[in-house]
Amino acid sequence: MKELGSEKACIALGYFDSVHLGHRSLIEAAHAYANEHGVVSCVATFCNNAYKLFNAEDKQVYTYAERCDLLNDMCDCVLPMRFDARLKNHTAEEFLHGLYSRHNIKAVVCGYDYLFGAGAKGDATFLKEYSEAHGVDCIVMPQYELDGMRVSTTKVKSFLADGKIEQANAMLGAPFMISGKVVHGRGAGRMFDIPTANIKCSAGKMLPKAGVYGTVCEIDGVKHYGATNIGARPTFGISKPAVETMLADFNDNIYDKEVKLYFHKYLRGVQKFDTPAQLSQQVHKDMEWYK
């Protein structure tokens, strides 16, 4: 994804950590303004896990790399910002002064609940007043609701933690996605004639509730149906959690390849089977989820 240069831009401000429907509405507004005024549309987003400065255990719905991939079709460029102790302690005015002095900004777009600056003292009203005083247009977007429910990253995370993947997907506006490199696993899938890919994810990436999901794995731009186990493998006495996806009608060697895994349906919880053969029988059934 291209980073913002010296071009005049309309910038959508926020974290955009889950790129949910509310975020998408902000980005669409920025893109529409940019098209109307002949400038580039840009999304400002943190390139590190900003949650770590507040809660070391909190994970991101999407990593920076995943967000850039998602944003590629929504805007012209991104403005990566590193959230560190220095930025955390900037006042709202210092933050905006730094932003506006470094970049050629024609307009900004934010949500009604946008907060920024030390102690979250800056809000949408402050942003609008400051921007207008500096000749920058400011668009404040209203609350985004889906079926009467406020769309938020907190709610998306709650759905993912409960294994409610279809509800999470509805708020995200697209299937929840994991990207990562295929690494060597235990090889058990091959024993049962089930091609298996173990995916190494970023340590800061939130995973859905442990269980088995109906998924689609994108490899070299081609999508393959399958089923994915998130968590332990108790049938084999393995308690260490992993992301292990079983692929239908696939036999290529994909070790070290970067793949994308899209989650569509929660199928069942993680189970311990009496024999590997029973597990194999169940996995073959799991992989029929899309039919």
Side-chain angles (χ1 to χ4, degrees):
M1 184 75 189
K2 176 186 172 185
E3 292 185 6
L4 178 65
S6 59
E7 312 98 315
K8 186 171 286 190
C10 175
I11 301 182
L13 294 172
Y15 192 162
F16 301 103
D17 42 348
S18 64
V19 198
H20 58 54
L21 289 175
H23 294 151
R24 290 170 186 246
S25 71
L26 263 70
I27 297 166
E28 287 170 5
H31 193 62
Y33 181 100
N35 283 342
E36 183 180 347
H37 292 83
V39 300
V40 299
S41 60
C42 178
V43 173
T45 185
F46 294 122
C47 57
N48 62 321
N49 186 352
Y51 296 123
K52 282 193 172 182
L53 268 73
F54 301 99
N55 181 356
E57 300 301 316
D58 211 351
K59 303 290 182 77
Q60 303 172 97
V61 174
Y62 287 127
T63 64
Y64 174 66
E66 289 171 337
R67 265 175 275 142
C68 285
D69 187 58
L70 290 168
L71 293 169
N72 199 47
D73 295 328
M74 300 182 199
C75 62
D76 298 314
C77 56
V78 296
L79 174 58
M81 295 189 294
R82 177 163 292 277
F83 191 77
D84 52 21
R86 179 172 170 271
L87 184 60
K88 180 173 179 277
N89 291 321
H90 275 181
T91 65
E93 187 168 0
E94 287 171 338
F95 170 73
L96 293 179
H97 173 73
L99 182 67
Y100 289 8
S101 62
R102 285 193 301 270
H103 302 286
N104 191 1
I105 301 175
K106 168 69 175 173
V108 291
V109 181
C110 73
Y112 74 100
D113 58 348
Y114 180 56
L115 298 173
F116 62 99
K121 295 290 180 63
D123 59 12
T125 299
F126 183 90
L127 174 64
K128 193 170 185 65
E129 292 174 351
Y130 184 97
S131 299
E132 291 176 350
H134 289 77
V136 175
D137 292 338
C138 179
I139 302 168
V140 179
M141 299 295 289
Q143 176 172 297
Y144 194 100
E145 293 186 355
L146 179 66
D147 298 328
M149 183 184 298
R150 176 177 174 267
V151 173
S152 69
T153 296
T154 299
K155 196 61 185 175
V156 169
K157 286 184 172 183
S158 176
F159 283 142
L160 291 174
D162 291 340
K164 296 179 179 178
I165 199 70
E166 289 163 285
Q167 291 94 322
N169 289 349
M171 282 201 170
L172 290 171
F176 172 70
M177 180 262 290
I178 289 175
S179 65
K181 182 179 287 189
V182 177
V183 296
H184 286 275
R186 56 200 167 86
R190 289 288 180 186
M191 292 192 319
F192 305 134
D193 194 31
I194 305 172
T196 304
N198 289 270
I199 301 174
K200 183 178 181 180
C201 305
S202 166
K205 169 78 175 182
M206 180 179 184
L207 298 178
K209 174 186 175 181
V212 178
Y213 295 83
T215 54
V216 173
C217 187
E218 184 177 328
I219 305 166
D220 294 331
V222 180
K223 294 183 178 180
H224 304 270
Y225 286 96
T228 298
N229 185 89
I230 300 283
R233 283 71 50 87
T235 302
F236 299 95
I238 302 173
S239 58
K240 184 179 179 180
V243 178
E244 186 177 60
T245 189
M246 284 64 72
L247 302 169
D249 303 319
F250 186 83
N251 292 296
D252 294 347
N253 182 347
I254 55 172
Y255 289 123
D256 292 327
K257 276 190 178 291
E258 292 286 338
V259 301
K260 298 173 189 173
L261 193 60
Y262 299 92
F263 287 68
H264 289 265
K265 187 176 182 180
Y266 178 84
L267 301 177
R268 60 179 175 86
V270 174
Q271 295 173 247
K272 181 178 181 180
F273 292 86
D274 292 335
T275 66
Q278 288 179 355
L279 170 60
S280 174
Q281 187 178 28
Q282 179 60 54
V283 169
H284 277 94
K285 290 180 181 177
D286 294 335
M287 291 196 297
E288 301 288 312
W289 67 270
Y290 61 94
K291 295 184 177 179

